[in-house]
């Protein structure tokens, strides 16, 4: 039998460097001496944002500068998300709108990549309904962008690449980071959990952890460059380390990063409750740099629904984790994801979600109405509750959480917070940043403070946004 032999990562990277040099020369000619321009739009989660930063890194090496205007671009790329139907519909609409851009500028190269493209039905739809799209590629072949662009241009043909998941992670791709003070560092790729509603394991492949040295070195470089906040990324960071030659878990990885000296803070997402350990909470409590904030998606407060979701924890386990975490860190801030209207969920079961969020008092929530994803187990389940009814439950959830968030924020008035200033709010002219607990604080100040830590006294709570003043 013929074996599918994977080109070693270093060799693959070298090959792409050669294509990068060729592409730089080609684009110089195509842009007639001007700097070639790229338009890159990323949808979806931070994982996609991190991929987008690598794509921009590769484009920068090909000589591209970046634009926010599709009409002045020589290369347009949409990096897509498949998590909910609504997300997909938006992407289809926006790709459709590129037809006019292509008509005005026939030489523009249009590429679509990301999680949506790993689904056959979607890739087929692009192939058949959007003939002006030149390149379609999935999540496993990002590093081949130079080669795909080269082939699309020199052979004048459309390129479609799906699958080709690698065993070995490609390290060393260039990164062009969007921010100057906050950075994303992927620690693991893929997901093995197969929650019954979720498309991610199908479009992102199996869990693969990066080597700890590569992660620690990347963090050290970022801190040396002056980055003030690093967020470690993975669909389930708590299962970090599986399959690595060295025995290491996520807590140990956190300790190694935390050992780096410097003025920075560390976050991570996402933690799956089934793999969250006491060791993890102890590590956060004892660390120097890890924020006392954890994003721990519960999805539902009802144990039967959680079982149907294949989450592999129940309400009691979730609550006992939180009790332990809070016993170690009374100031711990918790955020979560909730799905409303999972197939078969009853109104009474939904009430258990409300009671859970009231019991835990989350700082904030990301809330979603269930969206059926073709190919997942939940897509085949009976779903008797109407969408309209679910929107009523959804409003109830929002109302409940808004009151909780407002109460938590009101309790912070008078406190002193260390805020990482992100930007100026153009609407009200105030500086805007986040506390360690991930709450937005606005306060008057100079532009020089953007990207820096500031000590701020909270003077007012406006629902779930705080106002304050800098402590000099
Ligand atoms: N790996 C993370 C979640 C990634 S997806 C975790 O396990 O927590 C982000 C969130 O989208 C999920 O937590 C879930 O709340 C929501 N989500 C995922 N699939 C969904 C679907 N089919 N319908 C509605 N919400 C969904
Ligand atoms: Fe999806 Fe579950 Fe994996 Fe999160 S852990 S990405 S919700 S399958
Ligand atoms: Fe979307 Fe893919 Fe993230 S489906 S949520 S961009 S992993």
């Amino acid at each position: 039998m013929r074996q599918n032999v994977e080109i070693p990562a270093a060799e693959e990277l070298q090959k792409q460097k050669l294509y990068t040099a060729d592409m730089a020369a080609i684009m110089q000619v195509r842009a007639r001496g001007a700097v070639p321009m790229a338009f890159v739009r990323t949808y979806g989660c931070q994982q996609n944002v991190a991929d987008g930063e690598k794509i921009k890194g590769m484009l920068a090496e090909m000589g591209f500068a970046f634009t926010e205007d599709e009409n002045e671009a020589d290369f347009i790329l949409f990096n897509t998300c498949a998590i909910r139907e609504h997300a997909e519909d938006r992407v289809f609409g926006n790709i459709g709108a590129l037809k006019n851009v292509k008509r005005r500028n026939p030489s523009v190269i249009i590429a679509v990549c990301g999680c949506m493209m790993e689904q056959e039905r979607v890739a087929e739809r692009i192939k058949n309904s959007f003939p002006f799209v030149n390149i379609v590629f999935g999540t496993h072949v990002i590093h081949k962008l130079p080669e795909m662009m080269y082939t699309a241009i020199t052979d004048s043909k459309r390129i479609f690449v799906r699958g080709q998941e690698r065993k070995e992670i490609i390290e060393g791709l260039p990164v062009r980071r969007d921010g100057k003070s906050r950075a994303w560092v992927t620690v693991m790729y893929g997901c093995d959990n197969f929650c019954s509603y979720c498309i991610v394991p199908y479009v992102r492949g199996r869990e693969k952890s990066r080597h700890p040295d590569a992660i620690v070195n990347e963090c050290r470089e970022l801190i040396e460059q002056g980055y003030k906040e690093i967020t470690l990324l993975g669909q389930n960071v708590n299962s970090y380390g599986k399959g690595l030659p060295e025995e290491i878990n996520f807590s140990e990885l956190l300790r190694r990063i935390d050992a780096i000296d410097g003025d920075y803070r560390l976050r991570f997402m996402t933690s799956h409750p089934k793999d969250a350990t006491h060791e993890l909470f102890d590590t956060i409590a004892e660390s120097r740099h890890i924020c006392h904030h954890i994003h721990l998606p519960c999805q539902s407060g009802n144990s039967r629904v959680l079982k149907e979701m294949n989450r592999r924890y129940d309400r009691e386990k979730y609550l006992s984790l939180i009790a332990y975490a809070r016993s170690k860190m009374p100031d711990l801030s918790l955020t979560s994801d909730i799905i409303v209207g999972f197939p078969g969920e009853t109104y009474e079961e939904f009430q258990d979600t409300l009671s859970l969020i009231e019991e835990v008092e989350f700082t904030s929530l990301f809330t979603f109405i269930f969206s059926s994803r073709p190919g997942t187990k939940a897509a085949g389940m009976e779903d008797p509750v109407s969408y309209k009814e679910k929107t009523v439950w959804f409003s109830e959830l929002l109302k409940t959480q808004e009151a909780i968030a407002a109460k938590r924020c009101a309790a912070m008035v008078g406190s002193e917070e260390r805020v990482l200033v992100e930007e100026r709010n153009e609407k009200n002219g105030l500086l805007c940043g986040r506390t360690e607990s991930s709450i937005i604080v606005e306060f008057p100040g100079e532009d020089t403070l953007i990207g820096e830590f500031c000590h701020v006294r909270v003077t007012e709570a406006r629902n779930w946004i705080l106002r304050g003043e800098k402590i000099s």
Side-chain angles (χ1 to χ4, degrees):
M1 211 173 85
R2 236 184 89 195
Q3 282 224 299
N4 193 3
V5 184
E6 182 171 297
I7 300 177
E11 212 176 292
E12 178 68 51
L13 206 58
Q14 195 50 38
K15 190 170 120 194
Q16 296 306 324
K17 289 271 177 214
L18 298 177
Y19 281 115
T20 301
D22 287 347
M23 271 306 299
I26 288 172
M27 287 315 301
Q28 248 190 1
V29 175
R30 280 172 74 98
R32 294 197 198 87
V35 178
M37 302 298 275
F39 172 97
V40 176
R41 177 182 288 164
T42 292
Y43 301 81
C45 68
Q46 304 311 336
Q47 199 86 63
N48 248 20
V49 173
D51 284 351
E53 291 184 338
K54 287 194 188 111
I55 286 168
K56 285 189 235 174
M58 286 184 272
L59 290 168
E61 283 196 342
M62 292 178 222
F64 281 93
F66 296 89
T67 174
E68 297 292 319
D69 179 359
E70 284 121 312
N71 290 307
E72 65 174 35
D74 302 285
F75 177 69
I76 296 175
L77 179 133
F78 284 178
N79 182 17
T80 64
C81 168
I83 201 79
R84 283 169 292 275
E85 195 179 352
H86 176 70
E88 291 199 345
D89 288 346
R90 244 177 75 209
V91 169
F92 280 125
N94 291 341
I95 298 175
L98 291 177
K99 191 174 175 184
N100 288 331
V101 177
K102 186 83 163 195
R103 210 181 43 219
R104 282 193 291 273
N105 175 13
S107 68
V108 65
I109 305 160
I110 297 179
V112 188
C113 69
C115 295
M116 272 171 77
M117 301 308 121
E118 286 296 338
Q119 303 170 100
E120 194 177 349
R121 70 178 167 88
V122 176
E124 281 302 309
R125 182 164 162 197
I126 304 264
K127 198 180 223 168
N128 299 328
S129 308
F130 302 94
F132 49 86
V133 173
N134 304 87
I135 306 173
V136 173
F137 62 101
T139 57
H140 303 295
V141 290
I142 282 174
H143 56 277
K144 288 192 176 177
L145 181 65
E147 180 179 354
M148 291 185 287
M149 289 174 72
Y150 178 89
T151 314
I153 292 173
T154 55
D155 291 358
S156 302
K157 66 175 188 195
R158 300 177 79 197
I159 309 281
F160 296 88
V161 189
R162 274 180 51 237
Q164 299 193 12
E165 183 176 353
R166 292 177 57 89
K167 289 193 187 69
E168 190 191 10
I169 293 172
I170 306 244
E171 289 286 352
L173 287 177
V175 184
R176 187 182 178 275
R177 297 188 191 270
D178 294 338
K180 290 197 167 46
S181 55
R182 297 189 303 154
W184 315 109
V185 173
T186 303
V187 302
M188 58 180 298
Y189 297 90
C191 181
D192 289 352
N193 289 317
F194 291 92
C195 301
S196 60
Y197 51 80
C198 186
I199 196 71
V200 171
Y202 302 91
V203 296
R204 285 274 170 182
R206 299 289 61 77
E207 282 178 5
K208 271 180 277 299
S209 294
R210 285 178 72 193
H211 195 284
D213 292 348
I215 298 168
V216 173
N217 288 340
E218 185 173 347
C219 291
R220 185 175 294 114
E221 274 170 27
L222 288 167
I223 293 159
E224 280 166 7
Q225 287 163 19
Y227 280 88
K228 296 282 191 288
E229 182 175 290
I230 295 174
T231 305
L232 308 178
L233 297 179
Q235 292 301 343
N236 177 12
V237 289
N238 296 338
S239 67
Y240 173 79
K242 268 200 294 181
L244 283 176
E246 174 186 2
E247 196 156 309
I248 177 168
N249 65 14
F250 186 57
S251 299
E252 173 59 19
L253 178 71
L254 283 175
R255 286 191 289 269
R256 289 192 199 174
I257 300 170
D258 186 52
I260 304 170
D261 291 327
D263 187 23
Y264 68 95
R265 65 190 186 188
L266 199 56
R267 297 185 192 274
F268 53 87
M269 63 192 286
T270 298
S271 273
H272 194 305
K274 85 175 163 64
D275 300 314
T277 57
H278 288 188
E279 186 192 3
L280 174 71
F281 297 118
D282 295 344
T283 305
I284 303 172
E286 287 157 18
S287 74
R288 301 184 297 166
H289 301 103
I290 308 172
C291 291
H292 285 193
H293 164 223
I294 185 161
H295 184 61
L296 196 64
C298 59
Q299 313 297 356
S300 162
N302 178 274
S303 295
R304 189 198 71 82
V305 174
L306 286 169
K307 190 153 192 294
E308 289 295 303
M309 287 177 163
N310 193 30
R311 290 292 284 181
R312 285 176 274 173
Y313 55 86
D314 58 15
R315 179 187 176 99
E316 286 63 44
K317 157 101 195 260
Y318 188 83
L319 288 173
S320 79
L321 274 177
I322 304 257
Y324 181 82
R326 286 207 163 131
S327 74
K328 292 284 159 171
M329 292 171 281
D331 62 340
L332 183 69
S333 162
L334 286 149
T335 54
S336 202
D337 295 350
I338 305 269
I339 297 177
V340 173
F342 182 79
E345 183 180 26
T346 64
Y347 184 66
E348 287 66 39
E349 288 168 335
F350 164 69
Q351 290 297 315
D352 288 342
T353 299
L354 289 189
S355 76
L356 182 111
I357 69 165
E358 277 176 327
E359 188 168 340
V360 177
E361 296 199 333
F362 291 102
T363 304
S364 60
L365 289 181
F366 296 89
T367 48
F368 311 99
I369 293 181
F370 170 77
S371 170
S372 180
R373 304 286 59 217
T376 62
K377 189 155 179 243
M381 293 179 182
E382 277 212 40
D383 192 4
V385 177
S386 70
Y387 186 80
K388 192 157 171 260
E389 182 65 17
K390 291 180 186 181
T391 60
V392 176
W393 301 4
F394 188 72
S395 305
E396 205 175 327
L397 174 68
L398 291 190
K399 224 173 99 204
T400 308
Q401 176 57 25
E402 279 169 11
I404 295 166
K407 183 177 138 199
R408 287 191 70 88
C409 282
M412 289 174 78
V413 173
S415 67
E416 285 178 17
E417 299 288 331
R418 189 165 177 249
V419 174
L420 178 58
V421 185
E422 289 169 21
E423 59 192 2
R424 189 175 292 285
N425 179 339
E426 293 303 336
K427 285 202 190 107
N428 59 22
L430 297 172
L431 291 179
C432 177
R434 275 177 196 269
T435 63
E436 193 176 306
S437 52
S438 205
I439 295 178
I440 296 172
V441 184
E442 296 180 337
F443 63 100
E446 300 300 316
D447 276 350
T448 50
L449 297 174
I450 294 174
E452 301 293 329
F453 286 117
C454 262
H455 282 277
V456 174
R457 181 176 297 109
V458 178
T459 53
E460 188 189 344
R462 299 188 154 212
N463 293 328
W464 42 95
I465 292 184
L466 301 172
R467 287 270 172 95
E469 57 195 20
K470 186 171 173 290
I471 304 167
S472 43

